[in-house]
């Protein structure tokens, strides 16, 4: 076994916590900048600007989800090769996933850019909000290839167990964004477009950080060979496409929620936009679980350590419960401060308080879904992740928010989402545990059937 497979040794709980917290720092930095964007734009005293970013976020989450999907493919394929001790195969897969990501993201930008106004109309943006959202989104979408490259680089480093360097790309990108935001928004007087330009420049800065970690520190990129790329294309696609579909379901759910929220007016849309910025900052440690659990499972699967795979799932659940308990209490205590900071109107403030008081702990159950998705993506059943996440995005979202909003108004939208998270989180965890048990039984059976017959044992 290669010494690089360090996730096959030591405490699984320690690996889950360290990998999750490192990933969370990077994610939270990125989302803190989004939160600061919203804060700066709210200072303009124009609720259409805040609503515009809210509508744009539903679409941007779609593009980011595609990038995350390809990075998950990189993590799954590279971590398994590392667990098997095949470093050359890991390097070959790393460079080929990177090439796949560059081609794919460029194609998405080319297809999506001219259709942005129509997409925003579909999710409910109108009037000045539509104009502001269109300008904001048309700038930021151009940065998708940069996000794709940096996320794939981070995925490769997570596959090696180097969560600290994987964090650096988003951390440094977020810091650059935070510095440029007030300059472009206020000093240059560009408002919403200034926020988009600052974010675009920050995303391109992330490439250099990821490239340095993968190429110069770990030396994990092999030479690109077109024939090798075609050989690996099937393996990449088998993982990446279902994961893309899985991740597309989250922006689909967000779009459904935003479209239904728009029927309650701009105050409700602004509140959901603020909550959408609060969630990743507060629950960054939960969102990072998939990126943390995946490489641990991948390396141990490659090494045949099923005992550690079971332990990893249990450790992740314990970590998620403790994390959510602490952060939900903090969020409850901070709700009035959040209302004041974002200059929320009475309608928006009521929704923010309702979320902090009654809905926030549902993210523990959503974390169970993240854990199960990581298991299926990294253990050869990405289609199960797709079915689970699409189930949550459709049956676990639209009918529930429609029914509960009839009785509870806009608050029913948040409550319906929470109920969907509880149902599909519990279902996903049960399926993931059962699947790992099946893999273990299959491995044991294959080992027994392939073992040479010892005739002395038969006497």
């Amino acid at each position: 076994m290669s010494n690089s497979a360090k996730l096959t040794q030591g405490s699984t709980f320690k690996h889950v916590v360290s990998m999750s917290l490192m990933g969370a720092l990077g994610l939270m930095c990125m989302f803190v900048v989004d939160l600061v964007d919203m804060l700066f734009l709210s200072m303009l005293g124009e609720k259409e600007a805040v609503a515009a970013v809210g509508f744009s976020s539903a679409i941007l989450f779609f593009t980011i989800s595609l990038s995350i999907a390809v990075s998950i493919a990189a993590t799954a394929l590279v971590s398994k090769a590392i667990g098997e001790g095949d470093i050359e195969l890991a390097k070959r897969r790393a460079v080929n996933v990177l090439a796949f990501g560059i081609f794919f993201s460029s194609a998405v930008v080319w297809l999506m850019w001219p259709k942005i106004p129509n997409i925003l109309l579909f999710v409910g943006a109108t009037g000045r909000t539509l104009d502001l959202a269109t300008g904001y989104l048309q700038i930021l979408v151009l940065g998708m290839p940069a996000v794709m490259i940096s996320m794939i680089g981070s995925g490769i480093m997570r596959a090696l167990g180097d969560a600290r360097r994987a964090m650096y790309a988003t951390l440094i990108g977020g810091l650059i964004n935070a510095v440029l935001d007030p300059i472009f928004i206020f000093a240059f007087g560009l408002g919403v477009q200034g926020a988009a330009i600052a974010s675009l420049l920050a995303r391109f800065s992330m490439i250099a950080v990821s490239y340095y970690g993968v190429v110069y520190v770990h030396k994990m990129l092999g030479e690109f060979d077109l024939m090798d790329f075609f050989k690996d294309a099937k393996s990449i696609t088998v993982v990446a496409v279902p994961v893309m579909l899985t991740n597309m379901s989250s922006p689909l759910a967000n779009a459904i929620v935003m479209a239904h929220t728009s029927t309650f007016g701009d105050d409700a849309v602004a509140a959901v936009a603020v909550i959408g910025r609060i969630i990743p900052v507060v629950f960054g440690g939960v969102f990072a679980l998939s990126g943390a659990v995946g490489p641990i499972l991948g390396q141990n699967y490659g090494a045949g350590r099923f005992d550690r795979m079971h332990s990893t799932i249990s450790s992740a659940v314990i970590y998620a419960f403790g994390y959510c308990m602490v952060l939900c209490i903090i969020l409850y205590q901070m709700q009035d401060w959040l209302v004041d900071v974002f200059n929320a109107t009475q309608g928006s403030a009521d929704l923010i308080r309702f979320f902090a008081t009654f809905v926030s702990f549902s993210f523990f159950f959503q974390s169970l879904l993240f854990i199960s998705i990581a298991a299926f993506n990294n253990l050869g059943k990405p289609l199960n992740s797709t079915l689970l996440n699409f189930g949550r995005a459709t049956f676990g979202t639209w009918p529930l928010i429609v029914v509960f909003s009839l009785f509870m108004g806009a608050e029913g939208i948040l409550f319906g989402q929470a109920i969907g998270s509880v149902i599909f989180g519990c279902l996903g965890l049960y399926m993931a545990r059962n699947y790992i048990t099946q893999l273990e039984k299959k491995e044991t059976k294959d080992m027994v059937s392939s073992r040479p017959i010892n005739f002395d044992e038969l006497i």
Side-chain angles (χ1 to χ4, degrees):
M1 184 186 299
S2 169
N3 291 329
S4 297
K6 66 180 185 180
L7 299 179
T8 61
Q9 304 167 23
S11 167
T12 57
F13 184 77
K14 181 179 178 181
H15 287 316
V16 167
V17 172
S18 62
M19 296 275 288
S20 294
L21 292 181
M22 288 296 102
L25 284 173
L27 282 175
M28 288 168 69
C29 179
M30 182 172 66
F31 289 120
V32 161
V33 172
D34 285 342
L35 195 62
V36 171
D37 272 353
M38 190 72 75
L39 177 60
F40 285 148
L41 292 173
S42 69
M43 291 178 182
L44 298 174
E46 188 178 12
K47 68 180 181 181
E48 289 85 359
V50 178
V53 176
F55 281 115
S56 300
S57 296
I59 313 304
L60 282 172
F61 196 78
F62 165 78
T63 63
I64 292 173
S65 293
L66 296 180
S67 299
I68 292 172
V70 182
S71 75
I72 289 173
T75 300
L77 295 172
V78 173
S79 65
K80 189 170 185 293
I82 292 294
E84 293 170 346
D86 195 338
I87 303 300
E88 292 306 313
L89 177 61
K91 290 182 179 181
R92 191 185 86 184
R93 286 175 170 175
V95 73
N96 288 335
V97 175
L98 184 61
F100 180 94
I102 292 171
F103 296 144
F104 178 73
S105 60
S106 299
V108 171
V109 172
W110 182 73
L111 290 170
M112 184 178 175
W113 197 89
K115 298 178 176 63
I116 285 174
N118 293 332
I119 296 171
L120 287 167
L121 273 171
F122 174 75
V123 298
T126 57
R128 176 160 173 74
T129 299
L130 173 63
D131 294 336
L132 291 172
T134 299
Y136 181 82
L137 199 53
Q138 284 183 332
I139 293 171
L140 269 185
V141 162
L142 297 176
M144 185 181 173
V147 174
M148 180 75 77
I149 294 169
S150 63
M151 285 192 172
I152 291 172
S154 295
I156 293 168
M157 286 185 281
R158 279 194 300 271
L160 294 165
D162 189 356
R164 180 170 57 86
R165 286 192 178 88
M167 169 193 71
Y168 286 162
T170 49
L171 185 63
I172 292 175
L175 291 174
I176 291 173
N177 199 345
V179 170
L180 294 180
D181 260 341
I183 296 173
F184 282 93
I185 293 173
F186 298 114
F188 293 163
L190 295 176
V192 173
Q193 288 191 341
I197 293 170
S199 296
L200 181 65
L201 294 175
R203 290 178 181 192
F204 278 101
S205 73
M206 292 164 63
I207 296 177
V209 182
S210 293
Y211 186 83
Y212 176 81
V214 172
V215 175
Y216 289 98
V217 176
H218 292 290
K219 298 178 173 58
M220 274 301 297
L221 283 188
E223 292 185 8
F224 179 76
D225 181 277
L226 189 60
M227 296 307 297
D228 283 341
F229 176 78
F230 288 134
K231 288 178 184 177
D232 286 336
K234 181 178 178 181
S235 298
I236 296 169
T237 304
V238 164
V239 177
V241 171
V243 176
M244 286 178 194
L245 293 174
T246 301
N247 287 345
M248 282 169 59
S249 63
S250 293
L252 171 63
N254 290 341
I256 291 171
V257 168
M258 192 60 73
H260 197 66
T261 303
S262 66
T263 63
F264 291 90
D266 279 347
D267 284 349
V269 171
V272 170
V274 170
I275 291 169
R277 290 301 193 276
I278 293 170
I279 287 171
V281 174
V282 175
F283 296 104
V286 168
F287 281 82
L289 263 178
S290 291
V293 172
I296 301 172
L297 290 174
Q299 282 197 16
N300 283 285
Y301 184 40
R305 293 294 307 274
F306 289 95
D307 57 325
R308 292 181 60 81
M309 292 163 67
H310 287 293
S311 177
T312 298
I313 298 295
S314 298
S315 297
V317 173
I318 294 169
Y319 162 81
F321 181 83
Y323 182 96
C324 289
M325 181 67 73
V326 172
L327 270 295
C328 286
I329 292 172
I330 293 173
L331 182 61
Y332 175 78
Q333 297 294 330
M334 293 179 62
Q335 57 182 287
D336 290 333
W337 178 80
L338 291 170
V339 168
D340 292 338
V341 164
F342 287 99
N343 299 314
T345 61
Q346 184 59 47
S348 296
D350 289 342
L351 281 176
I352 293 170
R353 289 192 177 99
F354 181 80
F355 172 80
T357 304
F358 300 107
V359 174
S360 59
F361 195 73
S362 67
F363 274 84
F364 166 67
F365 296 94
Q366 193 157 330
S367 73
L368 302 184
L369 185 61
F370 294 154
I371 293 167
S372 62
I373 285 171
F376 289 124
N377 286 342
N378 287 271
L379 301 178
K381 278 284 187 179
L383 187 58
N384 283 11
S385 298
T386 305
L387 295 175
L388 278 170
N389 231 20
F390 264 100
R392 184 189 64 86
T394 52
F395 299 113
T397 299
W398 183 78
L400 293 172
I401 66 174
V402 169
V403 170
F404 283 105
S405 63
L406 288 176
F407 300 99
M408 302 172 64
E411 292 175 347
I413 296 173
L414 301 178
F415 192 74
Q417 279 187 293
I419 297 298
S421 294
V422 172
I423 294 170
F424 281 89
C426 293
L427 176 63
L429 183 65
Y430 169 78
M431 291 173 60
R433 285 190 178 280
N434 188 55
Y435 178 60
I436 293 174
T437 300
Q438 290 176 3
L439 286 177
E440 185 176 12
K441 289 179 179 178
K442 182 178 182 298
E443 181 80 7
T444 302
K445 182 179 178 180
D446 290 345
M447 289 177 63
V448 171
S449 62
S450 62
R451 189 181 67 180
I453 298 174
N454 185 338
F455 290 97
D456 291 335
E457 294 178 355
L458 301 178
I459 299 175

